[in-house]
Amino acid sequence: MSSLAQIAAESGVSVSTASRALRGKGEMTPQTRARVLAVAQQYGYSTTGVRRGRPRTGTSRLFDLVLGRFHDPYADEVTAGAHLAAARHRFDLVLTAERDTPDDDWPLRIRARGSAGVVLGLILPTAAQLAVLRDAGIPLVLMDPRAEAGTSLTSVRTTDRAGAAAAAEHLLEAGAKQFVVVDAAPSYRFGRARVEGFEAAVRSRHPTAVIHRVRADWSSPGAWRASLPALREAAASAPIGVFAISDEMAIGVYRAAADLGMRVGQDVLVVGFDDVRGAKWVQPALTTVRQPIRDMAGAAIDELVAIAAGADPQPRIVELPTALVVRGSTGAPAASPEAVSRESPRDRPRRENA
């Protein structure tokens, strides 16, 4: 069993510095803290000085949900879905925040409380973080990872490409003459799939269609600024079909259209992606591609339960289908109930080996 002195020596720091780094205390550079934590993780050392995995008497009946942030519409849906599924299986759910810093020790905290499994949302773990959980025998399932995880981890996601294609087909049927795609930076796996699916669907019907692609920062203000010049350029070809790869960015397009004296639902037809809380309350209500966020979180918990029960731990990709929800932003009458498009065979849930 490694001692604090050994961790300090391996890290090239004093024992007192190593202690402060492990406890998250004191002033030191991020690089120093990260180096000490990496050595501690390598040797399985915790802040108590004892290598800890699952409790000797068995695994705690709790799962950890790890997200980069909580209390936004997307995270609220993930949390609700994971909590309902965990409760159904008689597990508790712990909310664990991932900090985007080199010295983040969330795997050590999870290992210390003997969690039965981890759902990691919108995040790819580092090799060192994976090693901590693997050494403790704690399974991990990814929900909507920002990049591909190769073949080593099970992930749950939605049919991003097919959903975006449905958005393109709807805008074409609604009479759009030119198109604006509001892409995002950083470029994540699901964002790229949505852009590719939309543009491929438009090109398959109209190979020479004009598509203006702009890029914002995953925010409404960013989408407002980015879409202004594109809408201005395409104004003579109304109605303009706009596809934003998130609902929040779609709302930014509303503001850009208003600034140019254009009417959403008439001059500008807007489709978002997610169908988070509030999409139906803007004016006009937002047509969007609904991804089953709660169901995705629940499916991730179900995967953990299956692994804990001894199911084949072979990594898998689990896909749940999207559905187009038609509202006023693409010209649907304001008084009519929202219409959900029929699913095509490609949109049905599927479970594949990674």
Side-chain angles (χ1 to χ4, degrees), residues 65-87:
L65 172 63
V66 182
L67 292 173
R69 62 180 183 177
F70 291 90
H71 308 304
D72 62 27
Y74 181 90
D76 288 348
E77 289 294 300
V78 173
T79 302
H83 178 262
L84 287 171

Side-chain angles (χ1 to χ4, degrees), residues 180-183 194 223 242-247 249-251 253 270-273:
V180 175
V181 174
V182 185
D183 196 359
R194 294 168 193 177
V242 180
F243 174 61
I245 65 172
S246 78
D247 287 348
M249 298 173 77
I251 300 309
V253 176
V270 183
V271 180
F273 204 108

Side-chain angles (χ1 to χ4, degrees), residues 63-67 78 82 106 110 115-125 130 133 138-145 149 152-157 295-308 312-318 351:
F63 291 128
D64 274 81
L65 172 63
V66 182
L67 292 173
V78 173
W106 63 262
I110 287 172
S115 179
V118 179
V119 173
L120 193 57
L122 299 176
I123 299 166
L124 271 182
L130 273 177
L133 299 177
I138 299 174
L140 172 69
V141 172
L142 303 178
M143 180 183 161
D144 225 6
S152 61
L153 294 170
T154 290
S155 66
V156 179
R157 56 187 68 179
D295 292 342
M296 290 161 64
I301 293 291
D302 291 342
E303 289 292 315
L304 288 178
V305 171
I307 294 170
D312 180 6
Q314 182 70 27
R316 308 176 188 276
I317 293 176
V318 180
R351 179 177 173 132

Side-chain angles (χ1 to χ4, degrees), residues 16-17 19-30 33 103:
S16 61
T17 297
S19 176
R20 291 196 303 273
L22 291 170
R23 290 182 291 115
K25 307 292 185 180
E27 296 292 332
M28 67 188 69
T29 67
R33 193 183 304 276
D103 60 346

Side-chain angles (χ1 to χ4, degrees), residues 160-166 168 191-202 243:
D160 294 286
R161 188 181 179 94
R192 292 192 297 272
R194 294 168 193 177
V195 171
E196 291 165 3
F198 182 88
E199 293 186 350
V202 171
F243 174 61

